[in-house]
Amino acid sequence: MTTLEAPRKAPARIPAARSSAPYLHQIDLFRLITFACVILIHVVAATNYPQDVPANAVESLLHFTREAFFALTGFVLVYQYRDRPLRATGFWRRRFPLVAVPYVVWSVFFWGYSLVTTGEPAGSLSTKLAALGRELIEGSAWYHLYFLLVTMQVYLLFPLLLKMLRATRGRHRYVLLVSGALQVCVVLFMTYPPEGVTYDTISHLFATILPYQFFTVLGAVVAMHFEAVHAWVSGHRAFLATALIAIGIGTELAYFQNVHSGTWPQLASEVYQPYLLLWFVTVIAALYAVCSWWSARRTAESRAARFIAWASNRSFSIFLVHPLALALLGPAIGPVADWSGAPWTTVVIYLATLALTLVFVEILRRLPVSKALTGRPRVRRAHPRPVRLVVSSGSRPR
């Protein structure tokens, strides 16, 4: 017997059962815009003083990003599972590692990075490891890692949430009312804590689902009624644009009133300020309206469509990496400020952060450990796989 090597594509794996719901390209753009705003708010904070009134006014509008992400998380999960059965153990087995492993890896990395860069006095290894343990529990190894900790809480509770939504069909408006009332109570408690409640107690709520539960439920309910909500948004884009402008102006007036009354600017624009709730809901709806308008006019092979798909695929990686890029650019902020002044310092550092982040992401996505670092599989170049063909002895292939 002789053998002949012939190049042929490997047979595709049989895909697992998936939802029959169509792919929503508008969600890719929604995710991309929100991540771009996440980086922007972090750059604004890094390039301006905490007491800067205009900078905090900008931040108050950009705070919608975390609420938008949890609304998006609730929406995507329910949209995928609303018409098919869900096995909790299988769901957790698939979902948790994609977030939990990068969470641990990056928490350890930023813990070590802090030890090296902050110049803290030497301490015992046990003390430092205890600090790492607390940071892992609290999501505090770096300022953005709480998001992963809360995301895992959403995954943990999702089977229960889906079961509740199925059991309350026809009464979802009441689910939203109860969730909304709880949200108001939570932000009032966090912004105006009762006497005797310390900031340490309030700070631990930041990394729990409580301050974000309404937006997760909102996204989940929208997914259950997606067709009706999509049709309403598509027919009311002018109304949403008007509401966005009007409520945006009202939000800024409320911020300036807080500052005028003596509230520290950074606190006046804090994400848990009750006056921001209406803005968050409005900007999420308006952003979806813009993204769905683009999706309806999208051309699959256009450069814009390909770029958005490429960037959306890397969005979680970008979120994980961008604080490192911004930290490395920190020493350049002062010289850039001396050279360009405000607001150009923010613009320059923002563009530099984007560029450096994308470089890091492309490197990490090509490493064998990409999934542990970015929650996404390694980017590989497609190569045909040789297939061994058996040829009878004495014969030759024609």
Side-chain angles (χ1 to χ4, degrees):
M1 301 289 286
T2 61
T3 60
L4 175 68
E5 297 252 317
R8 194 178 73 185
K9 290 184 178 179
R13 293 182 178 179
I14 299 174
R18 295 183 180 273
S19 171
S20 59
Y23 188 86
L24 303 178
H25 294 281
Q26 60 264 42
I27 297 304
D28 286 346
L29 182 58
F30 187 101
R31 183 181 290 109
L32 179 59
I33 292 174
T34 308
F35 270 121
C37 289
V38 167
I39 299 175
L40 179 57
I41 192 172
H42 290 160
V43 172
V44 170
T47 55
N48 293 275
Y49 292 109
Q51 69 271 24
D52 189 286
V53 174
N56 281 284
V58 173
E59 288 186 50
S60 67
L61 296 181
L62 290 173
H63 275 313
F64 79 91
T65 52
R66 65 182 76 184
E67 280 70 19
F69 273 128
F70 288 114
L72 181 63
T73 301
F75 173 86
V76 169
L77 291 177
V78 172
Y79 184 75
Q80 291 177 343
Y81 285 97
R82 63 177 183 169
D83 297 323
R84 60 176 174 144
L86 171 69
R87 290 183 65 252
T89 53
F91 171 81
W92 292 329
R93 187 170 57 250
R94 288 190 302 273
R95 289 279 179 167
F96 268 109
L98 299 178
V99 176
V101 176
Y103 172 72
V104 172
V105 169
W106 284 101
S107 292
V108 172
F109 172 83
F110 280 114
W111 167 78
Y113 181 84
S114 297
L115 292 178
V116 171
T117 60
T118 57
E120 293 181 357
S124 67
L125 179 60
S126 60
T127 300
K128 294 176 180 178
L129 290 176
L132 172 62
R134 287 194 302 272
E135 291 171 356
L136 285 168
I137 294 171
E138 299 171 356
S140 58
W142 210 253
Y143 56 80
H144 66 311
L145 292 175
Y146 77 94
F147 175 77
L148 279 70
L149 192 59
V150 179
T151 299
M152 287 187 280
Q153 295 170 46
V154 174
Y155 288 171
L156 180 65
L157 295 173
F158 174 66
L160 182 62
L161 173 62
L162 185 61
K163 186 175 182 178
M164 180 197 68
L165 291 176
R166 288 171 174 169
T168 56
R169 288 185 187 273
R171 298 187 294 276
H172 288 161
R173 63 174 65 89
Y174 302 114
V175 172
L176 283 177
L177 283 173
V178 172
S179 178
L182 176 60
Q183 185 73 27
V184 171
C185 292
V186 169
V187 297
L188 285 172
F189 177 81
M190 295 179 70
T191 305
Y192 308 104
E195 187 176 352
V197 176
T198 64
Y199 178 78
D200 186 60
T201 300
I202 299 298
S203 66
H204 284 99
L205 291 176
F206 295 173
T208 72
I209 187 62
L210 275 176
Y212 320 106
Q213 57 81 29
F214 169 72
F215 296 95
T216 305
V217 172
L218 176 64
V221 170
V222 167
M224 294 293 287
H225 304 274
F226 170 69
E227 290 75 15
V229 174
H230 176 81
W232 187 91
V233 168
S234 299
H236 294 81
R237 290 195 178 104
F239 167 77
L240 288 172
T242 303
L244 182 71
I245 295 171
I247 294 174
I249 293 172
T251 299
E252 291 294 77
L253 290 175
Y255 161 75
F256 284 113
Q257 177 59 37
N258 269 6
V259 174
H260 182 71
S261 65
T263 305
W264 183 255
Q266 196 173 33
L267 294 178
S269 66
E270 175 59 51
V271 65
Y272 305 109
Q273 285 284 349
Y275 74 84
L276 287 171
L277 288 175
L278 185 57
W279 166 251
F280 292 155
V281 175
T282 304
V283 72
I284 289 170
L287 181 57
Y288 178 81
V290 170
C291 295
S292 61
W293 177 88
W294 167 82
S295 180
R297 291 155 180 79
R298 170 184 174 274
T299 302
E301 296 304 318
S302 67
R303 289 183 179 179
R306 284 182 287 152
F307 171 76
I308 289 170
W310 174 87
S312 179
N313 178 267
R314 287 155 174 78
S315 57
F316 184 54
S317 311
I318 291 170
F319 174 78
L320 290 169
V321 173
H322 83 271
L324 174 61
L326 181 55
L328 293 175
L329 290 169
I333 294 176
V336 172
D338 293 338
W339 168 66
S340 61
W344 300 111
T345 302
T346 299
V347 174
V348 171
I349 297 300
Y350 179 67
L351 295 176
T353 301
L354 283 176
L356 186 56
T357 297
L358 292 177
V359 170
F360 285 161
V361 166
E362 288 306 299
I363 293 172
L364 295 178
R365 286 295 303 274
R366 282 163 172 76
L367 297 178
V369 291
S370 172
K371 208 163 188 176
L373 292 170
T374 68
R376 301 285 296 184
R378 182 184 186 186
V379 174
R380 297 175 179 270
R381 293 186 62 183
H383 293 289
R385 183 182 298 177
V387 178
R388 299 175 68 85
L389 300 179
V390 178
V391 181
S392 300
S393 178
S395 65
R396 296 183 180 272
R398 296 182 180 180

